[in-house]
Amino acid sequence: MASSYPPPFEGTGEVKEGFLCPLCLKDLQSFYQLQEHYEEEHSGDDRHVRGQLKSLVQKAKKAKDKLLKRDGEDKPETGSYESFYYGGVDPYMWEPQELGATRNHMDFFKKHRAARIDHYVIEVNKLIIRLEKVRTLAQTTADNHKLFSVVAWVSDTDVPFCPDCGNKFNLRNRRHHCRLCGSIMCRKCMEFVPLPLAYKLTSGTREARSVTGSQSQSPPTGGGGNVSGMGSRRGSISSLSSVTSMLEEKDDERIRCCLHCMDTLMKRQQKLEEKDHVPDIVKLYERLRLCMDKVDERAPEYIRMAESLNAGETTYNLDTAGGLRMEVQKYYELIDALSKKILTLGMKEEPQPHQKTLQLQRMVRYTATLFVQEKLLGLMSLPTKDKYEDLKEKRKQEQEKRLTQERLVAQKRRQDSEKNRPAASTNGEAPQAPRAPRMTKAGGWLPSSDTLHTCGELEDPLLQQIDNIQSFLRQAKAAQRHDEVAMLEENLRQLQDEYDQQQTSLAIALSQRLAQEESLQQDELQRLEDRERGEREHRAQSQAPGSQATYTWQGSLNLTDTGSLHGEEEGEEEVTPKAESSPLSMRAFPALTDQDEESPPRLRRLGGDVTPPGGEGQNSSSLNPFEEEDSTPVEDPSNPFFEEIQKEHKEVANGKKEYNPFEQEEGGEEEQGQAEGATGNPFEVKEENNEGNPFKEASGCTPPGASTNPFEGEDEEAMPDVDVIEEDLLLQQIDNIRAYIFDAKLNGRLDEVELLSENLRELQRTLQEQKSKTH
Amino acid sequence: MNVTLAVKQYISKMIENSGPGMKVLLMDKETTSIVSVVYTQSEILQKEVYLFERIDSQSRDNMKHLKAICFLRPTKENVENLIQELRRPKYSVYFIYFSNVISKSEIKALAEADEQEVVAEVQEFYGDFIAVNPHLFSLNLSGVARGRSWEPTLLPRTTQGLTSVLLALKKCPMIRYQLSSDMAKRLGESVKQIITKEYELFDFRKTEVPPLLLIMDRSDDAITPLLNQWTYQAMVHELLGLNNNRIDLSRVPGISKELKEVVLSAENDEFYANNLYLNFGEIGTNIKNLMEDFQKKKPKEQQKLESISDMKAFVDNYPQFKKMSGTVSKHVTVVGELSRLVSERHLMEVSEVEQELACQNDHSSASQNVRRLLQNPRVSELDAVRLVMLYALRYERHSSSILPSLMEELNRKGVSERHRRMVTSMVEYGGKRVRGSDLINPQDAVAITKQFFKGLKGVENVYTQHAPLLQETLDQLIKGRLKDSQFPYLGPSSLRDRPQDIIVFVIGGATYEEALAVYNLNRTMPGVRIVLGGTTIHNTKSFLEEVTLTAGAGQAERVQRAGGHPNRR
C-alpha cells in the first residue's frame, strides 16, 4: 500500500497519515476535515475520485488506529510509528492472509470408530437384554440355577483366582458368577445392580422385546400363553418390584454382576440420564445469548439514529430513538439480571457445585459484564428536545447555505448534463450502495400534510401504487418490521419493473409515432416539471414553515430535468429500483448531500405525507416489539419444556411409546446405523417388519387392557409352542450371524461381511414368513 | 506471512467450527502458551469460550452442557490423556485439533476410544509455535545444543516447530543454512525430509519467487545477546524478562496486586504497539504525553461531576477512560521500574562501554573502560561478567589481551566461580574458531569502507550503535550477495531472483534486537517480507544459561534461570 504514495511526501514533517485531499493535495488534519473539505470543494468533480478517496480514507483510518485517537485539533505529529512511508511494509500492516494449511482426519477417524461402535453397541445391547431376562427371572423364581438359561456360567474349576484382584478362591473366598456375562469373581470384586436400576435400564427395551423378543426370553415351559404372561408383567412390574424390595432385603433383589458389566451399565445409565436433561445454566444461557443478539442487532441502529439526531438531522424521530434506547437498555438490564442469575446458580444448594461449575458461571457473568460495559457505555445519549430544536435549526441554516452553492453548481452542470447524460448515469451506479442507508432516512423531516396525498396526482395508477408501497415500506422500516420490509421491497421491485416495462412500451410506441422522441420527452418533462413547480408553490404558500417549503421547491427544481429525466424517462433500462427510494438524484449529482438525494419529486411527496403518521406509529410499535420480545424469552424456554413434560406424561400413560431397543440405540448413536449399512439394515428391517405393525395396534389400546383385549396381531401370535421355538431358534441364529458380521468387520474381511449379511437377510425373511404363516 | 495472525486464524476457526454454545478449551502446557500469546482472555470469552483447561488436569468436572475444543500437541502423553478423556467424556462434543502431524495409528487409537461418539472433528491445525509478534516467533526451547550438536530430543521438536510455521504461512521454501554450523545443516535436512514426506501438505500455490528459509546458528553472533538493550520491548526482556509477552513484576518494590504480572501485547495495547521499537528516551516522552492525555480525560475529582452534562461526558468517555487508565498504570509502572534499574545498575555507563566494545576498534580505551567499570562497586555481577565476555570475544586474539587480569578483577570483585567459568564457555561457544562470518573484523574491502564511513559520520546514539550481524546477513541476502560458500543451498536448485518471502531461523535463540532489525528491514525494503524465529528469544541471562548448557553439556551446574523464562523442553 505504501508504494502508492507519492515519494515527495516521504518524511515531510507536516504530513500526517496521508489526510491529503486527493485533488488539490491540501493537507488536512483529520479524516473528518478531509471529508468536509472534499464535500465542499470538490463535490462537483469526477466520480472516480470518490473511490480513491474511499481507499485513502480506509488507509488513513488504519493509520489513525495506530495513533492514540487524536482528533483534528491536535498538532500533526511526526511519530516514528508512521510506518508505511519507507518503501517496505510494517509487519503489522501485512495484507491479510488465508488460513494456514490444515489436514482433516475425520474420515479416517470415523472409519475406525464405526467398527468399534458396532462392537460396543452390541455389547451394551446384549447386556441390557440379559439384564431384562435376569430381572424377570429373579422375580418369578427364586431358583438361582434357572439363571443358567440366560448366560452360560463359567465353570468353577477353570478359574482358580479372581481375575480382577488375583486372590485365590477357597472356602472362605468363594466364587461368584456374574449374572450378565457368566464370569467369575470374588466377593470383593462383585457389584450389584439394584432392581430399580435394572428396571430403569431395561425400560426402553422391554416393550419392544415383549412383542417378539419375549418368546426367546421366556423359558418354553414358563407360560404356554405368552400373551397373558406378557400382559401381566407389563402392567405390574414396577409395583411388584417395589413391594418385594420393601418386604425383604434379599440378595435376589439385586442382580449380581462383575465390575466390567457394571461399568458398561453405568455408562449407559449416565447416557440415558443426560439425554433429556437440560441443566438450568443452559436455559439461562440461551436466553442470555438471545438478548445479546438482540442488542447486537438493535444497538447499531440506535447509534445510527443518535448520531443523526445529534447532528441535527431530521431523518429520525427523536421519540423513536428514545424508544429504541429504552428498548436496548431494557435488554441490558435483562442481560445483567440473567447473568447474575447464572452467577448465583446452585450457590445455595448444600453440596456446593464443583469449582469448575462455579468458574464457568463466573466467566459467563464476567463476559456479560464486559458486553454490557462495552456496548452500553458506547451508547451515546440523545439530545434533549430543546437542544434538538437548536440542532435542527443550525443544520437547516447550513443546508441552505450549501444548497445555494449547489444550485450554482447544478445550474452549471445542467447545461452540460444533456451532453454528459450517459456518462453521468453510469458514474452514478457506483455510490448507490454506500449511500443507500442515508436514503432511507430521507423523508422523515418533511412537513406533514395529508392533503398532499390527494393532490399528488400521478396519473399512472402504477405510480400511485409504487408510492403507496414505498410509504408502507418506510413505515415498516421505522417500526423495525424487517420481514415485512423485505416483502414490501420485493413488491416494490415488481411494481417498478412493471412500471418500467410499461414505460418502455410507451416509449417504443412514442418513438414509432414520433420520429423525434427526444424532443417530445423533453416537452413532457417540461410539462411535468411545470406542474410540479406549480404544485410546490401552492404547497409552499399553504404551509407554515416557509423556509422548508422554499427549500424543497428548490431541491426539486434542481432535479427535475436531470434527476427525473433519468429516473422516469430514461430509467427504463437503468433504474433497477433497489429496496428503498430509488437513488435517482444520486445518479445525476454524485456528491450532493442528503436533501438532494431525497429530492426526486415522487419521493418528496411521498416522504411528506407518509412519515408523520409513521413517526407516531413508530413510537408505539417500537415499544411493542420489545415488550413482546421481552416476554417471549421468559416464556419460550418454559413452553417447550412444558410440552415435553406433557409429552412424557402422555407417553407414560400410553404405555411407553419408544420401547424399541434398537431404535433407541440408533437414536443415540445416529450415524453408526447409516454408516454401517450392513448392520444398520437388519436392525431397521427387524423393527419395521417384526415389530412395527403389532406395536402400532398395541399402542392404540391401553396397556392394562392388553391382556384381555384381543387385538388381531397379538392375539394370533399366541400360537402353538412349536412355532415359537422355531422363531426362537431363528432369532438366535440371527444374533449369531450378527456377531459374526462384527467379527468379520473388525478383522476387515469385507467379502465375508457381505456374505453374512446376505445370510442374515435371508434368515430374517424366513422369520417374517414364519410369522405371517402363524397369522 | 503474519505469524500472529496465522495462529489467531487457526484458533478462531476452531471456535467457529464448534458452533454456538458454551465451550471449554482443552489444551496442554505448550498450546496454552501458544494460545495465550495471541489471544487475551476477554477476546476469547467473547467467542463463548468460558473455560480453559489442561488436558492433564485431574480436577475437571463433568459438564455435559459444554463443548470441548481440544488444541493439543501430538505428543504421546497428550494422545494417552485424550484417550482416557474419550473413554469417559466430560463434555458433550469434542473438536480435536492437533498442532502438528499426527500418526494414523494414534488416530486409530483415539477412534477406538471414542465409544460414545463424542468426537465431531479431528484435524491438524499447524499452530505449533509461539507467535510473539507478526514477524517473530519462538519455540520456547532452551539448551538445544550439546557441544556443537543437537540435544537429541530437541531436533525433532525444533523441526516440528519450524515446519508448522511453514505450513501455517503456507510456504514451501528453498533452504539455505549456515555452513559453519553442523546443527544448521542437520535442521535443514530434517525440515527438508518432512517437506518431502508430507509433500501433499506442502503443495501450495506456486509463487513466482519461491520463499526462502535461512537457518543460522546463534554461535555465529554471540555478541548481540550480551548487550544491554534500549528499545522498549528488548529492554523489558533484558531487565525484567518477557515470557510469552508477560512480565513478572512481583519483585518490583511496592507493586500493587493487579500489576504483579502484566501482559505486553501489541495486539491490544495501543501504546505498546506504538512504542515497542522506540528507545528509552522516546518512551519517556510518550509516557509523559500519555499521562497528560489521561489527566485531561480523567474526571476531576474536585468537581465531583456536578452537572448532568459532566456525568454524561464522563460516561461517554468511560470505556476509553477505563482502557486508558489500565494502560497508563501498566506502562508507568513498567517504565518506572526500568528507569529504576537503569540508574541502580549504572546501565548507561555499562552500555556505553558495551557498545564501544562491540562496535569500535580501540583496544586500549576499551580495556581501560572495562577495568574502570569492574572496579565500580555498583556495577552488578551480571554486567561485570558480560563486559568481560564481550572483551574476551572481541579481543580474543589481540596481542596484548588483558583478559587474565580482567578475570583476576572479577575474582576480586567477588563474582562467583560459576559466572567466571562462563567467560571461557562463552569463548568456546562463540569464539573465532567456531564463527563462520566476520562478526568482528570485516575482511572484504566493501565492508571495511562501510565501517570507515560509519566511523566518520559519527554515532547518532551511543547506546544503539550496534547492529546485529543478522541485519547485515539479511541485507546481503536480499541484495543477492550472500555467498553460497557461507550459506549454501540445501539441494541442487538455488534462487536466481531476489528473494521475497524470507523466514530466518536462529538455532540457539534470537533476540529482540534482531527482531527490531528485521522489523526495520521489513519496513524499508520494498517487496520483501521477513519473519524471524528462534528456538527461544534470549536476554543475557537466558543466553548465559544456554551457553552453559551447551558448553558444559551438563557437567556445569545449571544456572538458575531468573524471571521464569521459557520452559525447558
Side-chain angles (χ1 to χ4, degrees):
Chain A
M1 76 168 64
S3 51
S4 68
Y5 281 83
F9 292 101
E10 270 181 46
T12 41
E14 327 81 75
V15 181
K16 184 201 172 194
E17 311 291 8
F19 287 118
L20 305 179
C21 171
L23 295 179
C24 61
L25 294 181
K26 192 172 162 193
D27 179 21
L28 293 142
Q29 304 284 330
S30 76
F31 163 52
Y32 302 101
Q33 288 182 10
L34 172 59
Q35 199 175 34
E36 214 166 290
H37 159 86
Y38 188 81
E39 276 172 1
E40 273 170 18
E41 310 274 290
H42 308 295
S43 52
D45 288 341
D46 188 5
R47 260 294 124 124
H48 289 297
V49 190
R50 241 199 141 65
Q52 284 176 20
L53 181 68
K54 266 267 153 56
S55 68
L56 198 79
V57 161
Q58 271 160 6
K59 281 175 200 167
K61 260 193 177 158
K62 239 186 197 169
K64 200 180 164 221
D65 288 344
K66 293 252 118 193
L67 279 165
L68 287 174
K69 294 265 146 56
R70 284 188 194 113
D71 285 319
E73 301 88 64
D74 285 22
K75 269 208 322 207
E77 203 178 319
T78 49
S80 39
Y81 35 76
E82 279 170 57
S83 39
F84 43 89
Y85 291 110
Y86 291 89
V89 180
D90 187 319
Y92 286 96
M93 306 264 181
W94 279 342
E95 69 243 39
Q97 66 211 31
E98 50 189 316
L99 182 72
T102 61
R103 181 154 62 183
N104 202 328
H105 288 295
M106 204 52 207
D107 291 341
F108 185 80
F109 186 90
K110 269 189 189 152
K111 207 174 94 194
H112 284 272
R113 179 172 68 184
R116 183 72 191 179
I117 293 275
D118 285 349
H119 194 74
Y120 174 74
V121 168
I122 273 285
E123 283 297 312
V124 173
N125 278 348
K126 235 189 319 192
L127 276 187
I128 296 290
I129 290 166
R130 285 181 193 157
L131 184 66
E132 166 71 2
K133 290 180 190 169
V134 172
R135 194 185 59 77
T136 45
L137 273 179
Q139 276 167 10
T140 48
T141 63
D143 187 1
N144 253 350
H145 294 276
K146 277 255 172 75
L147 297 175
F148 286 130
S149 64
V150 174
V151 58
W153 282 10
V154 174
S155 148
D156 283 7
T157 49
D158 290 350
V159 190
F161 303 100
C162 170
D164 283 324
C165 64
N167 286 337
K168 193 167 168 42
F169 288 121
N170 48 35
L171 270 180
R172 264 221 199 138
N173 192 17
R174 290 188 51 208
R175 293 179 175 81
H176 295 274
H177 281 97
C178 172
R179 305 295 192 251
L180 298 177
C181 66
S183 67
I184 288 178
M185 68 262 155
C186 69
R187 188 165 203 92
K188 265 187 280 172
C189 301
M190 194 168 62
E191 300 267 346
F192 288 104
V193 186
L195 276 185
L197 175 65
Y199 181 74
K200 204 173 137 206
L201 279 169
T202 55
S203 61
T205 63
R206 197 169 309 117
E207 283 297 320
R209 291 193 47 75
S210 65
V211 180
T212 52
S214 58
Q215 286 100 338
S216 65
Q217 114 198 2
S218 51
T221 51
N226 248 331
V227 177
S228 60
M230 197 174 55
S232 67
R233 201 186 307 143
R234 213 195 266 158
S236 59
I237 267 167
S238 55
S239 59
L240 192 88
S241 71
S242 61
V243 166
T244 44
S245 64
M246 268 199 294
L247 282 176
E248 40 191 352
E249 189 59 35
K250 269 203 321 181
D251 197 46
D252 290 325
E253 296 317 308
R254 302 172 295 175
I255 295 165
R256 194 173 294 180
C257 76
C258 66
L259 280 171
H260 311 284
C261 293
M262 190 63 180
D263 189 48
T264 317
L265 289 177
M266 288 316 281
K267 269 192 199 167
R268 172 158 173 91
Q269 194 222 351
Q270 210 182 352
K271 218 171 166 184
L272 282 176
E273 266 176 13
E274 279 156 6
K275 212 163 139 194
D276 300 320
H277 179 237
V278 182
D280 288 344
I281 184 167
V282 175
K283 290 176 210 158
L284 286 172
Y285 181 76
E286 272 165 9
R287 281 165 60 191
L288 183 70
R289 292 304 299 185
L290 204 75
C291 292
M292 285 181 167
D293 289 347
K294 280 273 186 255
V295 168
D296 278 338
E297 185 186 309
R298 291 297 160 86
E301 244 173 76
Y302 169 73
I303 287 169
R304 218 187 316 134
M305 278 191 185
E307 264 171 6
S308 148
L309 287 170
N310 275 323
E313 284 176 359
T314 40
T315 30
Y316 293 111
N317 188 311
L318 190 60
D319 294 338
T320 322
L324 192 61
R325 185 185 170 83
M326 285 283 287
E327 178 185 341
V328 173
Q329 271 170 345
K330 267 268 171 59
Y331 275 122
Y332 284 128
E333 275 160 32
L334 211 57
I335 288 174
D336 193 53
L338 279 171
S339 61
K340 250 187 212 147
K341 223 172 179 179
I342 288 178
L343 181 68
T344 53
L345 216 57
M347 292 292 231
K348 288 185 199 103
E349 279 160 32
E350 217 2 86
Q352 279 270 311
H354 193 275
Q355 51 156 343
K356 292 293 174 189
T357 315
L358 293 177
Q359 195 186 343
L360 175 74
Q361 291 171 359
R362 272 200 308 274
M363 288 319 240
V364 172
R365 164 77 178 156
Y366 176 60
T367 314
T369 324
L370 278 185
F371 180 85
V372 170
Q373 267 177 9
E374 187 185 322
K375 299 273 164 103
L376 177 67
L377 298 175
L379 279 187
M380 60 186 76
S381 46
L382 291 167
T384 57
K385 273 227 161 82
D386 300 342
K387 212 173 155 199
Y388 181 52
E389 290 303 319
D390 289 353
L391 283 168
K392 265 203 284 197
E393 200 55 43
K394 229 189 267 169
R395 186 175 165 80
K396 220 182 289 164
Q397 282 163 7
E398 266 174 41
Q399 282 174 342
E400 261 169 72
K401 227 196 288 167
R402 212 180 299 175
L403 204 74
T404 42
Q405 276 182 0
E406 267 152 17
R407 205 163 6 138
L408 287 175
V409 180
Q411 267 163 357
K412 261 186 243 155
R413 282 184 62 87
R414 204 187 326 176
Q415 287 147 16
D416 309 337
S417 67
E418 287 301 322
K419 299 174 222 159
N420 293 342
R421 211 197 309 158
S425 56
T426 44
N427 280 344
E429 303 264 330
Q432 195 171 331
R435 280 300 179 111
R438 270 206 222 169
M439 298 290 296
T440 62
K441 302 175 189 172
W445 65 274
L446 279 164
S448 67
S449 126
D450 282 347
T451 53
L452 268 178
H453 195 62
T454 46
C455 67
E457 2 82 73
L458 302 154
E459 298 93 43
D460 198 326
L462 260 178
L463 275 183
Q464 272 175 9
Q465 193 58 31
I466 288 176
D467 270 4
N468 280 341
I469 298 236
Q470 274 170 337
S471 77
F472 292 152
L473 195 60
R474 204 159 305 184
Q475 276 175 327
K477 246 178 220 157
Q480 316 288 349
R481 301 273 167 89
H482 295 294
D483 39 357
E484 266 168 58
V485 168
M487 208 180 69
L488 283 169
E489 277 169 4
E490 179 57 30
N491 228 321
L492 182 66
R493 226 184 331 272
Q494 282 169 2
L495 272 171
Q496 272 170 335
D497 283 347
E498 181 68 23
Y499 178 67
D500 287 346
Q501 256 171 18
Q502 214 179 61
Q503 288 296 97
T504 324
S505 54
L506 214 88
I508 290 167
L510 274 175
S511 67
Q512 278 168 349
R513 260 190 289 159
L514 295 168
Q516 296 178 324
E517 176 214 350
E518 188 93 4
S519 67
L520 181 118
Q521 282 189 345
Q522 208 60 38
D523 284 349
E524 205 172 40
L525 183 72
Q526 198 59 41
R527 193 169 51 82
L528 268 169
E529 191 185 287
D530 284 344
R531 179 198 302 260
E532 184 175 273
R533 197 176 305 166
E535 221 175 271
R536 300 253 165 203
E537 260 161 349
H538 180 67
R539 197 191 342 157
Q541 281 158 9
S542 68
Q543 279 200 349
S547 59
Q548 278 179 13
T550 46
Y551 152 63
T552 48
W553 183 82
Q554 281 156 352
S556 68
L557 173 71
N558 283 343
L559 280 166
T560 32
D561 57 340
T562 49
S564 57
L565 182 79
H566 291 301
E568 290 171 25
E569 265 74 30
E570 207 187 47
E572 286 102 355
E573 287 112 19
E574 283 177 26
V575 182
T576 43
K578 262 271 176 116
E580 57 288 305
S581 47
S582 55
L584 301 173
S585 64
M586 299 279 305
R587 293 154 188 277
F589 287 88
L592 291 190
T593 41
D594 291 356
Q595 327 78 288
D596 298 292
E597 286 161 19
E598 64 193 54
S599 50
R602 277 193 288 156
L603 287 175
R604 173 69 50 98
R605 248 175 259 143
L606 172 95
D609 53 10
V610 162
T611 31
E616 284 167 44
Q618 283 157 14
N619 246 339
S620 50
S621 57
S622 72
L623 281 172
N624 272 342
F626 172 59
E627 272 162 9
E628 278 164 25
E629 256 126 29
D630 192 16
S631 58
T632 37
V634 188
E635 287 168 8
D636 268 345
S638 59
N639 269 343
F641 191 61
F642 266 123
E643 273 171 20
E644 261 173 40
I645 291 176
Q646 281 168 346
K647 222 189 274 169
E648 270 172 32
H649 282 308
K650 254 187 238 161
E651 273 169 26
V652 172
N654 279 348
K656 306 276 193 261
K657 266 185 189 162
E658 306 163 352
Y659 52 75
N660 190 324
F662 303 108
E663 202 168 70
Q664 276 218 335
E665 223 38 62
E666 278 179 4
E669 268 106 24
E670 284 175 353
E671 294 150 342
Q672 173 254 328
Q674 286 135 15
E676 294 305 310
T679 53
N681 269 341
F683 279 52
E684 276 163 315
V685 168
K686 202 174 167 206
E687 271 159 46
E688 282 164 22
N689 296 350
N690 299 354
E691 292 145 13
N693 276 335
F695 162 54
K696 266 177 199 159
E697 285 160 2
S699 70
C701 313
T702 47
S707 54
T708 48
N709 240 359
F711 37 85
E712 294 130 16
E714 290 208 307
D715 201 21
E716 267 148 23
E717 247 175 66
M719 272 284 125
D721 279 347
V722 203
D723 265 341
V724 172
I725 294 165
E726 285 247 333
E727 280 192 15
D728 236 352
L729 281 173
L730 270 175
L731 281 170
Q732 266 174 20
Q733 195 62 26
I734 287 173
D735 265 354
N736 285 342
I737 292 206
R738 226 180 275 142
Y740 289 143
I741 291 177
F742 292 130
D743 189 52
K745 218 180 264 169
L746 269 181
N747 298 320
R749 290 168 299 191
L750 288 175
D751 38 354
E752 223 167 289
V753 171
E754 239 169 58
L755 206 90
L756 283 167
S757 41
E758 183 92 357
N759 227 323
L760 185 67
R761 244 167 275 145
E762 220 167 70
L763 268 173
Q764 278 171 331
R765 221 173 297 128
T766 43
L767 182 77
Q768 197 57 31
E769 275 165 19
Q770 180 124 69
K771 268 214 169 157
S772 55
K773 246 190 272 166
T774 58
H775 277 234
Chain B
M1 284 289 277
N2 183 335
V3 287
T4 309
L5 188 63
V7 178
K8 271 189 132 167
Q9 282 178 336
Y10 273 138
I11 293 164
S12 56
K13 181 77 182 165
M14 288 175 204
I15 299 174
E16 199 182 295
N17 281 351
S18 63
M22 286 182 278
K23 303 175 221 332
V24 54
L25 197 52
L26 268 180
M27 297 171 287
D28 60 40
K29 189 156 178 262
E30 283 177 85
T31 50
T32 308
S33 316
I34 292 170
V35 174
S36 68
V37 165
V38 296
Y39 268 116
T40 59
Q41 194 192 33
S42 53
E43 253 179 306
I44 217 155
L45 279 176
Q46 279 168 5
K47 296 171 186 267
E48 296 190 83
V49 177
Y50 295 111
L51 287 178
F52 309 89
E53 299 283 3
R54 289 276 291 276
I55 184 86
D56 49 356
S57 140
Q58 298 305 318
S59 68
R60 283 183 285 121
D61 190 21
N62 257 8
M63 288 184 157
K64 286 290 163 107
H65 47 288
L66 292 188
K67 295 174 175 178
I69 300 167
C70 311
F71 182 42
L72 302 168
R73 298 207 64 248
T75 60
K76 254 206 186 105
E77 307 86 73
N78 281 339
V79 172
E80 195 41 54
N81 279 329
L82 197 54
I83 285 176
Q84 294 310 323
E85 178 80 23
L86 293 180
R87 288 239 163 87
R88 299 201 167 273
K90 294 194 170 63
Y91 310 105
S92 62
V93 195
Y94 285 76
F95 298 83
I96 301 171
Y97 301 92
F98 287 105
S99 67
N100 223 311
V101 177
I102 184 165
S103 70
K104 290 268 184 209
S105 60
E106 280 170 316
I107 292 179
K108 197 174 162 219
L110 283 173
E112 280 164 6
D114 183 23
E115 286 176 345
Q116 317 227 359
E117 277 188 291
V118 286
V119 175
E121 197 78 76
V122 181
Q123 291 206 45
E124 288 170 10
F125 271 24
Y126 305 96
D128 208 6
F129 52 91
I130 312 279
V132 182
N133 288 135
H135 67 289
L136 179 65
F137 66 91
S138 157
L139 302 180
N140 278 5
L141 302 170
S142 62
V144 292
R146 288 288 173 270
R148 309 230 61 82
S149 55
W150 279 96
E151 147 80 43
T153 54
L154 291 183
L155 177 59
R157 174 68 187 91
T158 311
T159 312
Q160 279 185 327
L162 195 48
T163 47
S164 86
V165 171
L166 297 176
L167 285 167
L169 297 177
K170 294 198 164 176
K171 303 287 170 204
C172 180
M174 305 184 82
I175 301 172
R176 290 183 83 168
Y177 63 96
Q178 184 183 312
L179 186 65
S180 61
S181 162
D182 184 51
M183 287 170 78
K185 190 176 181 195
R186 288 280 306 280
L187 179 61
E189 281 166 349
S190 179
V191 168
K192 184 103 192 164
Q193 204 184 338
I194 297 285
I195 293 179
T196 323
K197 195 175 142 208
E198 306 284 347
Y199 62 95
E200 291 161 317
L201 272 178
F202 281 90
D203 185 24
F204 304 124
R205 198 161 10 93
K206 288 273 180 297
T207 44
E208 223 172 283
V209 184
L212 190 81
L213 171 63
L214 182 66
I215 301 175
M216 305 174 73
D217 194 319
R218 181 76 272 162
S219 63
D220 219 26
D221 175 11
I223 285 185
T224 307
L226 286 176
L227 298 172
N228 265 305
Q229 297 299 320
W230 294 98
T231 55
Y232 197 24
Q233 188 183 31
M235 201 174 171
V236 166
H237 187 45
E238 180 66 40
L239 297 179
L240 302 170
L242 259 181
N243 182 16
N244 297 335
N245 283 342
R246 279 169 173 72
I247 345 173
D248 180 14
L249 289 177
S250 54
R251 284 164 307 155
V252 174
I255 191 80
S256 68
K257 213 175 176 187
E258 62 264 31
L259 286 172
K260 281 234 161 87
E261 193 194 61
V262 299
V263 181
L264 286 186
S265 159
E267 291 292 308
N268 19 33
D269 180 341
E270 216 167 358
F271 182 84
Y272 186 60
N274 291 330
N275 291 281
L276 88 157
Y277 297 121
L278 297 193
N279 71 40
F280 194 50
E282 290 167 299
I283 297 160
T285 334
N286 287 344
I287 278 274
K288 210 179 121 234
N289 289 341
L290 189 70
M291 288 281 275
E292 278 168 7
D293 235 29
F294 177 60
Q295 291 294 341
K296 248 185 270 166
K297 286 206 176 121
K298 199 169 155 185
K300 314 240 170 9
E301 276 169 48
Q302 291 85 351
Q303 285 182 3
K304 280 195 174 160
L305 300 172
E306 275 164 359
S307 67
I308 294 175
S309 61
D310 271 0
M311 276 165 68
K312 243 186 199 165
F314 173 72
V315 169
D316 282 349
N317 288 325
Y318 184 75
Q320 240 181 319
F321 164 77
K322 206 181 154 214
K323 203 174 163 198
M324 205 166 167
S325 84
T327 320
V328 168
S329 59
K330 179 169 76 182
H331 288 289
V332 167
T333 315
V334 172
V335 173
E337 175 62 10
L338 289 179
S339 65
R340 186 183 71 83
L341 288 172
V342 166
S343 63
E344 185 187 282
R345 287 165 54 180
H346 286 262
L347 287 182
M348 304 286 254
E349 271 176 79
V350 172
S351 175
E352 196 177 336
V353 177
E354 282 171 9
Q355 296 282 335
E356 186 191 346
L357 278 169
C359 308
Q360 311 291 319
N361 204 357
D362 184 348
H363 177 252
S364 63
S365 116
S367 47
Q368 265 174 26
N369 281 329
V370 174
R371 199 187 290 274
R372 180 173 52 82
L373 280 178
L374 288 188
Q375 280 156 358
N376 186 335
R378 292 188 59 185
V379 168
S380 73
E381 182 171 323
L382 181 75
D383 291 323
V385 172
R386 81 163 108 202
L387 280 171
V388 177
M389 281 174 177
L390 282 168
Y391 177 86
L393 286 171
R394 179 68 178 78
Y395 299 108
E396 191 183 349
R397 309 247 164 116
H398 198 272
S399 50
S400 49
S401 168
I402 57 158
L403 187 60
S405 85
L406 287 178
M407 292 300 281
E408 190 54 35
E409 199 80 52
L410 279 183
N411 198 13
R412 216 172 310 144
K413 198 176 158 59
V415 170
S416 68
E417 162 78 18
R418 192 188 66 181
H419 273 120
R420 274 179 287 137
R421 235 184 5 224
M422 274 186 208
V423 177
T424 354
S425 308
M426 185 59 72
V427 177
E428 260 173 55
Y429 178 86
K432 199 164 182 63
R433 200 169 47 84
V434 292
R435 285 200 298 265
S437 314
D438 318 311
L439 177 63
I440 288 154
N441 290 315
Q443 302 302 315
D444 67 303
V446 184
I448 290 174
T449 18
K450 221 184 213 170
Q451 204 179 41
F452 174 71
F453 275 120
K454 216 162 127 194
L456 273 187
K457 264 194 276 175
V459 251
E460 300 135 22
N461 187 337
V462 194
Y463 306 107
T464 55
Q465 315 171 43
H466 177 258
L469 178 70
L470 180 78
Q471 186 176 336
E472 184 60 28
T473 312
L474 283 174
D475 198 57
Q476 285 176 355
L477 176 71
I478 293 164
K479 290 180 174 140
R481 286 208 293 263
L482 193 62
K483 289 194 198 106
D484 281 8
S485 57
Q486 270 180 342
F487 290 91
Y489 284 92
L490 202 69
S493 53
S494 64
L495 201 59
R496 291 276 151 259
D497 311 89
R498 212 164 157 256
Q500 283 178 349
D501 290 343
I502 304 168
I503 295 157
V504 197
F505 189 77
V506 186
I507 299 168
T511 67
Y512 281 112
E513 191 187 346
E514 285 160 340
L516 170 62
V518 169
Y519 174 77
N520 284 330
L521 279 172
N522 271 318
R523 295 204 315 168
T524 48
M525 296 287 185
V528 179
R529 293 187 294 179
I530 311 168
V531 168
L532 173 69
T535 42
T536 184
I537 295 175
H538 278 309
N539 56 17
T540 304
K541 268 186 214 142
S542 68
F543 181 56
L544 290 186
E545 192 194 356
E546 178 101 25
V547 168
T548 318
L549 280 173
T550 304
Q555 55 160 316
E557 45 192 313
R558 312 251 148 130
V559 183
Q560 280 307 306
R561 192 182 277 204
H565 196 64
N567 53 307
R568 287 188 198 176
R569 223 129 312 157

